[in-house]
Amino acid sequence: MDSFEVNKIVAAVLLVALLVIGIGKLSNVIFYVEKPEKPGYAVEVQQASTSTTANATVEDKKVDIAALMALGDVNAGEKIFKKCAACHSINQGGANKIGPALYNVVGRKIGGVADYKYSKAFVEYGKEWNFEELNGFLIKPSKWIKGTKMAYAGLRKEEDRASVIKYLNQNSDSPLPLP
């Protein structure tokens, strides 16, 4: 192969590169697009009335606790409670762990274990652990009582929550009657 053929190959490669760059520049001139000042798309949303959204949140919080408790099973609750047992004791006279002992919890004042240091949110909450409170708390503890130290994600399934609540109610000196 002589130098003339090498020059032709190099020239062909350079011509292709020049053509690609030239076509790119030419297309920018032909198909000019003006860039917006603010990137993104404007999405038009109709404003919903605040009274309907407020009513929807109130309705979400109202749960038929009797129907929910009918879903639960004490034996299943004992199995599910094993997730809680890492932090809570359920035995009568059991010691506090990372979380307070939960024997006699149903019907007890929230933040009512004397020898456990609760978060400020629990102390100020001022209600009792009834079936509705336990259900709401077990869905997502940090959402139900804002500022709680409890870092548990919650129980999403209604059957699981009802089972755990029945199990907690059973582990008491005087279990409350089910709704």
Side-chain angles (χ1 to χ4, degrees):
M1 182 184 301
D2 63 348
S3 65
F4 185 68
E5 286 185 27
V6 173
N7 284 344
K8 285 195 295 186
I9 293 171
V10 170
V13 170
L14 288 174
L15 183 63
V16 169
L18 188 62
L19 219 97
V20 169
I21 293 171
I23 290 174
K25 295 288 185 184
L26 185 64
S27 67
N28 284 341
V29 171
I30 294 172
F31 303 107
Y32 177 75
V33 177
E34 192 172 319
K35 293 184 181 176
E37 292 175 17
K38 198 175 190 183
Y41 295 100
V43 178
E44 294 181 26
V45 179
Q46 291 180 344
Q47 292 292 337
S49 67
T50 56
S51 62
T52 57
T53 57
N55 291 339
T57 56
V58 170
E59 290 173 11
D60 288 344
K61 291 184 180 180
K62 290 183 181 180
V63 175
D64 185 9
I65 200 69
L68 179 75
M69 294 307 291
L71 297 172
D73 176 42
V74 175
N75 294 328
E78 184 176 5
K79 291 176 185 171
I80 297 165
F81 187 80
K82 289 180 181 177
K83 297 176 186 177
C84 310
C87 300
H88 297 280
S89 169
I90 191 68
N91 302 327
Q92 184 175 8
N96 296 324
K97 295 182 177 182
I98 294 171
L102 296 180
Y103 189 80
N104 274 336
V105 72
V106 182
R108 179 172 73 198
K109 183 180 183 299
I110 295 176
V113 175
D115 58 341
Y116 183 76
K117 185 173 174 151
Y118 288 97
S119 61
K120 187 177 178 182
F122 260 85
V123 174
E124 292 174 353
Y125 197 64
K127 295 184 180 180
E128 288 188 357
W129 286 121
N130 56 30
F131 298 116
E132 292 86 2
E133 285 293 324
L134 282 166
N135 179 55
F137 184 74
L138 288 174
I139 292 172
K140 186 165 179 87
S142 61
K143 186 176 178 185
W144 192 257
I145 300 178
K146 293 186 183 348
T148 180
K149 295 188 297 186
M150 187 166 166
Y152 183 64
L155 295 171
R156 298 282 177 235
K157 295 182 182 176
E158 291 180 340
E159 292 176 31
D160 291 352
R161 289 193 310 271
S163 299
V164 168
I165 293 168
K166 278 186 169 181
Y167 179 68
L168 290 171
N169 188 42
Q170 178 190 10
N171 285 283
S172 174
D173 291 333
S174 56
L176 296 179
L178 295 175

